[in-house]
Amino acid sequence: MTDTRGATPDSRYSWFVAVVGAVAMVFTFGTPLSYGILRAPLSDAFGVPVIELSVVFSVMLFTFFIGSGLIGVVAARLPARGIVLVCAVTTGLLAPTILLVDSIVGLLVVFAVLGLALGTVFVVLASVIPRWFDERRGAATGLIFVGNGLGLFVLPPLWQYAIDAVGIERAFLSIVGVSAVTFLAAGVVCGRPTWTGTSASTLGEIGGWVRGLVWTRRFQLLFVGMALAFAWYQLLAAYAVDLFAARGLTEAAASTAFGLIGGVSIISRIGGGYAADRIGARRGFLISLACAAAGVALLFAPQLPMLAPAIFLLGMGLGGSATLYIPLLLSVYDPEKDTAIVGIFNVAGGVGALAMPPLGAASVAYTNGYVLAVALTLGVTLVAIWAVVAGTR
């Protein structure tokens, strides 16, 4: 393990920790939200219908968010390095398994465990890295979420390129293997700083706090709002590449266009913290969701040139909401329970994720078009805005 005894808050070593963590973050969200690209190649390779494969990706997203949520609740009581290193080893062991499985049950297990490992790495790094900073904590947190945005930008076209070049099995082996290496580096470097300690609260005390929280109306509204604030993108990811191709783009260009949503989100991820300081996290979060709703509405227009402003608005909405949801929640609840709060509301994302891939795939398959899918995505976004407004009054 790296010796950090001489490190201090906001030091060069703190920034080294943040950079290593940001690189690992590239490989957390990027793969789970590339399922629109993985679906057809896996269907062809394993002879599994696309609708059934959508269930596999639902489970992956569910374990991604639920895994990070459960770990978030108890992470303050566990060694951060140890958690990330276990996830690194698990991810490395999963990389070659795609060459061994031969059924949808095998795929379900592989992607469920992969989602759990990726989600756990996300929540631990997002919770621990800001503790290396005092004066520059906002900038460091922004760097973490830039890593997420870069993953959403780079991973979809990278998956498409790798699948076209070497096939789905070797593409999985390569990209998941590289993910494991970055997680290993993060596990070595990104532990808790020596000037902080684990939480003094027992697991029983944390559990009692959670049980009391869930019966409040504010929590129930925010739980629904946060679930749907992530669900619109998960639903969009189920059909966006096919929609872009139907509008006249090649398959590679459609994958790149979908990745551009994540690329544009980097702008709002960088500016999100600054905007929250100026106008407040609540207002910034709601403006971001409004941008997402406007971008989804533009997808109703069949003209190819309308994709550019739609992608820009979707990216701005995605990045802003992804960056500001944690500051928003910490302005509503006791910030001393930061990891537990983030974990609980990541569970909300998992609940929404369970339904989104099959819903998106089914709405396209049974209508042989995209109008219903786009309408569902817009409806999800508008309900999210209503629930967050009501829950934060």
Side-chain angles (χ1 to χ4, degrees):
M1 298 300 178
T2 305
D3 185 2
T4 64
R5 286 174 294 181
T8 58
D10 302 285
S11 64
R12 289 184 179 179
Y13 189 82
S14 298
W15 284 108
F16 175 63
V17 171
V19 170
V20 172
V23 172
M25 284 291 205
V26 171
F27 295 91
T28 55
F29 272 82
T31 289
L33 292 175
S34 295
Y35 58 79
I37 294 165
L38 298 172
R39 188 180 55 209
L42 283 171
S43 177
D44 294 339
F46 290 89
V48 178
V50 168
I51 297 295
E52 293 182 22
L53 271 176
S54 295
V55 176
V56 172
F57 295 120
S58 286
V59 172
M60 177 177 65
L61 287 171
F62 183 77
T63 58
F64 180 90
F65 286 103
I66 295 298
S68 63
L70 295 177
I71 293 297
V73 173
V74 302
R77 299 285 301 168
L78 300 173
R81 278 199 180 102
I83 296 171
V84 177
L85 286 173
V86 168
C87 292
V89 172
T90 301
T91 305
L93 293 174
L94 285 173
T97 56
I98 197 72
L99 302 172
L100 305 176
V101 300
D102 58 0
S103 67
I104 189 171
V105 175
L107 288 174
L108 187 68
V109 172
V110 169
F111 280 93
V113 177
L114 180 62
L116 183 64
L118 299 179
T120 301
V121 170
F122 165 76
V123 78
V124 172
L125 295 183
S127 301
V128 168
I129 291 175
R131 302 182 74 181
W132 284 87
F133 297 85
D134 286 337
E135 296 180 2
R136 305 302 302 276
R137 182 169 293 176
T141 304
L143 180 60
I144 297 170
F145 284 98
V146 166
N148 281 145
L150 190 60
L152 296 177
F153 177 43
V154 172
L155 265 295
L158 180 61
W159 273 109
Q160 187 68 62
Y161 173 80
I163 291 168
D164 291 342
V166 298
I168 182 61
E169 292 93 346
R170 293 187 182 278
F172 187 92
L173 174 65
S174 301
I175 294 176
V176 175
V178 171
S179 303
V181 172
T182 67
F183 297 163
L184 181 63
V188 172
V189 173
C190 302
R192 289 189 180 90
T194 55
W195 55 88
T196 65
T198 57
S199 172
S201 299
T202 66
L203 293 181
E205 290 171 340
I206 294 174
W209 174 77
V210 171
R211 287 192 295 272
L213 188 68
V214 298
W215 293 107
T216 65
R217 183 174 182 273
R218 166 172 281 183
F219 173 83
Q220 292 165 359
L221 285 168
L222 281 176
F223 193 87
V224 172
M226 291 301 169
L228 299 182
F230 295 111
W232 72 264
Y233 183 74
Q234 297 156 6
L235 182 55
L236 177 68
Y239 65 85
V241 174
D242 294 336
L243 171 63
F244 296 162
R247 296 284 165 83
L249 298 180
T250 65
E251 191 173 70
S255 299
T256 301
F258 177 64
L260 279 174
I261 297 174
V264 172
S265 78
I266 295 174
I267 300 172
S268 51
R269 289 169 192 269
I270 293 172
Y274 177 80
D277 291 338
R278 294 282 181 171
I279 64 175
R282 178 180 185 270
R283 184 177 297 177
F285 185 82
L286 291 172
I287 289 173
S288 297
L289 284 182
C291 286
V296 173
L298 287 178
L299 295 179
F300 283 112
Q303 297 85 2
L304 183 60
M306 296 303 293
L307 285 182
I311 287 170
F312 178 79
L313 287 169
L314 290 168
M316 294 298 289
L318 173 64
S321 56
T323 303
L324 295 176
Y325 86 97
I326 292 178
L328 172 60
L329 292 173
L330 296 183
S331 70
V332 175
Y333 296 104
D334 181 3
E336 291 185 2
K337 294 183 173 64
D338 51 1
T339 307
I341 292 166
V342 174
I344 291 168
F345 281 96
N346 274 5
V347 172
V351 173
L354 189 61
M356 292 306 111
L359 182 61
S363 63
V364 173
Y366 290 117
T367 63
N368 198 29
Y370 299 95
V371 173
L372 178 58
V374 174
L376 288 171
T377 309
L378 180 59
V380 164
T381 312
L382 294 176
V383 174
I385 294 172
W386 169 81
V388 172
V389 168
T392 54
R393 282 174 180 161

